[in-house]
Each structure stands twice: as structure tokens, then as C-alpha cells.
Amino acid sequence: MIPFLDLRALNAQYRDELIEACTRVIDSGWYIQGNECKEFEKEFAEYCGTKYAIGVANGLDALILILRAYKELGIMSDGDEVIVPSNTYIASILAISQNNLVPVLVEPDIHTYLIDPSKIEEKITSKTKAVMPVHLYGQTCQMDRINDIAKQYNLKVIEDSAQAHGASFVDKKSGNLGDASGFSFYPGKNLGALGDGGAVTTNDEALADAIKALRNYGSHKKYENLYKGVNSRLDEIQAALLRVKLRHLDNEIEKRRVIANYYLENIKNSAIILPTLARTLSKNSHVWHLFVIRTTKRDKLQKYLLDHGIETLIHYPIPPHKQNAYKEWHNDGYPISEQIHNEVLSLPISGVQSLEDTQKIVKLINFKV
């Protein structure tokens, strides 16, 4: 069996370093908000090119806390609207809803699967306060156009960078392309912890200070609470492990690019639609968190590959507006998103996938759908 993602093999590459990092934390006797978290925040901010990185419990909390902080700072209020792509993972939308804000869905570009900037402006109202571009599958959105629209209408730009660690747009990395960004360090991410974890990056000092308090019961100083905060802290063990894996992230990305380029150059089946790079991006901008193809014969292809020992996944089978959690949207039409969710299939890709396995996958796809 060729697994979709072999986390055991992936982390085994760094086993000695990871064990040393865990040992260091265990021996320190300090397990929450200590030196490892501080150092990771410093290193991750430097990697992204931002002034601040704030470690939090997970990627969803990262987005929730950005919006919550804007509310505490008086920039947003209950009922304000946030524009978000209609084909994102549900977490992007949950973060908006959980802040008593209103998600406004915008269809993606059918070729890149990213939010279509040409459709944003028509959704802006007097209550719109932000746009949340999602760098889906590891490719950054058209941030020049999005930032121009945001500047024109005085909107905040909040990147959902959960799948885009190290991705770039022109000369800046994801996390430094808007006003703030939320990252996930879920184990399957390009920069994955060995448990849950997340971070916010920003250049806004006031926003960073608010999030630092909000993640810690609303407190900067013990027993003094500025806000009605939450407990959402990146623990020392995960921070130490992430420090190890951050050192290897660019190498991991390069290995993924090799596999992605092999797929792009060698999959020749006419029934398969291959990923498309946005027009302003180079081949070295995409970090290939996922390699997603499309076909009208998706379910047939997935079964065929599984029968031949190839594990694939669907990201994602049900669009947000069809989820039971958002019944109020069930009658709304988002045909591009629905088409994407009905046709996409994610092929295996990781830094530990061999050339032989990649060749086998391509050969099977080219043979039959």
C-alpha cells in the first residue's frame, strides 16, 4: 500500500532531534508558555517575515482569536461581515460564525480553486469589515488584487494560511501578505506538530498584544484579566518539536515540488484536470500541501487506485454551504464550489514518497480512469 501520507516515516527522519527536543522540555520542568514557545514564535516570525508570531492551541483558534481581537480593539462588532471563499475547509467559516460575525461566501476560480478577486467587490456592503483569502492546497491567492480591493474599501485582510507554510506571493511569504494570518500545525501539514498547534502572524503590535492576552484567559499578568479570554496556548513540547521541523521545512517543500513537477509533467490522461498555477506565481511559489486533480470520474478513479494499493483522499467532499451546520445556506447556489467538491481527488505527496511510488501512481492513472 502506498499511503496518502506516512506520518511515521516523515517524523522518523528527525527522530533523534525530536527526542532531544522533548527531553529538553521534560528536564526543564516548564511546560506552558516557557522558553520553547518564545523561541519558536521568534523563529517562525522571522521565517514568515513578520514582526510577531503568537503560538496558540490550533489553527481554528488562530483565526478565531484574530477576529476576536479586532472586536476587542473596536474594529469589528457583532453582525459585521467577513468575505470568505465558498469552497474552503469549514474552519475558515467557523471562525467567523463563532465571533458573531457573518460569513459572506464568494466563489473560487475554477482553475486555481482560490477565491476569485473579480467576484469580491460585488459582495461588499456597508457592514463588510474584512476579507479572508484562503491559500488552499499550498498556493497563495491573488494578493495584489485582494489587497487593492481591501485598501479601497478599508477592509482588513486576514489570511488563512493553514495549508500554506512557506508559500510565497512575489517576494513575501504567506503570513505576511495581509494584516494578520492564521496557521495550523496539525500533524499532516507541511509544518506539522505531533499533536495540535497553531499560530497567528502579524505586523500589528496592538493586535499581537490583544491576541497574546486573549489566548491566556485574557491576561498579560497572572490574575489580572483585560478581556474575557480563553485558554489557547501552544504548549512547550509542541513548540520544541516545531522548532526542529521548522529547520527542515524548506527541504520538505522542495521534495514536494519534485513530486508535484513529476505529476504535472507525466500525467497524460485526458480525463484528468491537473492543478493550475495562478498567473502571477512561479513554480517555486506553491508549496504543494496537497496535489489535487479533478475528474468527472472521481469516485471510479479513487476505487481503481485503492484496488491497486494507492490511498487517496478527497479535500473536501461536501462544500460548506451544504453542511448541516449551515442549514440556512442549503438553498443557496454556488455551482463552481459544488463542481469542485464533486470532482477533486488528492494524490499522495510528501517528503518521504519515493520516485518509484510516484511513478507507479502516474502509470496507473495514465492507464485507465
Side-chain angles (χ1 to χ4, degrees):
M1 171 68 74
I2 298 175
F4 178 75
L5 177 62
D6 189 343
L7 287 176
R8 180 180 296 183
L10 193 153
N11 287 312
Q13 302 174 102
Y14 318 121
R15 179 182 176 85
D16 291 344
E17 292 175 82
L18 294 171
I19 290 173
E20 190 279 327
C22 286
T23 302
R24 187 172 66 241
V25 175
I26 293 167
D27 291 347
S28 76
W30 196 297
Y31 309 120
I32 297 288
Q33 289 198 299
N35 187 64
E36 296 293 341
C37 186
K38 290 177 184 175
E39 288 301 310
F40 173 70
E41 289 174 336
K42 178 181 176 182
E43 291 161 7
F44 192 61
E46 183 177 347
Y47 180 82
C48 295
T50 57
K51 292 181 180 178
Y52 308 100
I54 305 102
V56 298
N58 53 69
L60 175 57
D61 280 3
L63 296 175
I64 289 173
L65 289 170
I66 291 169
L67 293 167
R68 173 71 187 282
Y70 278 133
K71 291 180 70 177
E72 295 291 352
L73 294 171
I75 294 169
M76 297 182 190
S77 302
D78 285 0
D80 284 342
E81 297 172 352
V82 179
I83 290 173
V84 64
S86 55
N87 69 316
T88 183
Y89 181 58
I90 198 71
S92 312
I93 295 169
L94 288 173
I96 300 168
S97 299
Q98 289 189 25
N99 276 289
N100 293 317
L101 301 169
V102 179
V104 176
L105 306 186
V106 170
E107 286 268 67
D109 182 310
I110 188 62
H111 303 293
T112 65
Y113 316 131
L114 304 173
I115 191 169
D116 187 339
S118 69
K119 297 176 181 175
I120 291 176
E121 203 163 358
E122 65 192 48
K123 294 293 186 80
I124 295 173
T125 73
S126 60
K127 296 187 73 66
T128 306
K129 292 296 189 295
V131 57
M132 184 183 288
V134 180
H135 305 314
L136 203 62
Y137 307 151
Q139 179 171 205
T140 53
C141 298
Q142 298 292 115
M143 295 305 298
D144 51 352
R145 297 176 64 187
I146 291 170
N147 281 323
D148 285 346
I149 293 168
K151 184 177 180 180
Q152 181 180 350
Y153 291 92
N154 194 29
L155 307 178
K156 295 296 182 183
V157 176
I158 302 165
E159 300 172 75
D160 182 338
S161 298
Q163 299 185 4
H165 316 71
S168 61
F169 185 86
V170 189
D171 59 348
K172 289 186 177 181
K173 281 192 172 73
S174 171
N176 191 27
L177 301 173
D179 295 289
S181 182
F183 285 89
S184 166
F185 302 128
Y186 183 77
K189 304 298 185 184
N190 288 17
L191 179 59
L194 274 68
D196 264 328
V200 173
T201 56
T202 185
N203 293 307
D204 185 332
E205 183 177 5
L207 183 72
D209 285 344
I211 292 171
K212 287 176 184 177
L214 285 166
R215 71 172 175 180
N216 185 43
Y217 301 97
S219 172
H220 284 301
K221 184 177 180 182
K222 197 169 186 178
Y223 304 129
E224 295 183 12
N225 303 83
L226 296 172
Y227 311 111
K228 297 175 183 176
V230 297
N231 177 9
S232 180
R233 301 173 299 200
L234 180 65
D235 70 65
E236 287 289 279
I237 287 283
Q238 297 303 337
L241 297 174
L242 286 165
R243 291 184 68 196
V244 171
K245 297 187 73 175
L246 180 59
R247 295 196 292 267
H248 299 283
L249 177 57
D250 286 343
N251 186 53
E252 166 73 16
I253 291 170
E254 286 306 314
K255 291 178 179 179
R256 287 172 173 268
R257 285 176 176 152
V258 170
I259 296 169
N261 287 335
Y262 189 89
Y263 281 147
L264 290 170
E265 292 171 4
N266 292 282
I267 293 176
K268 303 296 184 181
N269 192 313
S270 61
I272 302 298
I273 298 173
L274 294 170
T276 300
L277 286 172
R279 60 177 177 81
T280 55
L281 299 183
S282 69
K283 283 189 176 182
N284 291 329
S285 297
H286 203 317
V287 295
W288 300 104
H289 171 60
L290 298 171
F291 189 94
V292 181
I293 62 174
R294 274 178 39 229
T295 175
T296 57
K297 302 175 182 178
R298 189 264 307 282
D299 295 342
K300 180 181 177 182
L301 175 59
Q302 185 174 41
K303 183 180 184 304
Y304 164 74
L305 290 173
L306 185 60
D307 288 345
H308 288 79
I310 312 297
E311 182 184 23
T312 60
L313 294 180
I314 299 171
H315 297 87
Y316 304 95
I318 305 172
H321 71 282
K322 293 296 184 182
Q323 296 287 354
N324 195 53
Y326 291 98
K327 293 178 181 177
E328 64 271 28
W329 292 339
H330 281 191
N331 292 325
D332 295 349
Y334 296 95
I336 297 175
S337 291
E338 290 170 21
Q339 179 182 352
I340 289 169
H341 286 257
N342 286 332
E343 296 179 354
V344 289
L345 186 67
S346 300
L347 302 182
I349 185 169
S350 79
V352 293
Q353 183 170 310
S354 69
L355 174 60
E356 291 75 19
D357 284 348
T358 306
Q359 290 173 331
K360 179 180 178 181
I361 294 166
V362 170
K363 183 177 180 180
L364 286 165
I365 291 173
N366 284 340
F367 178 71
K368 181 181 179 182
V369 174

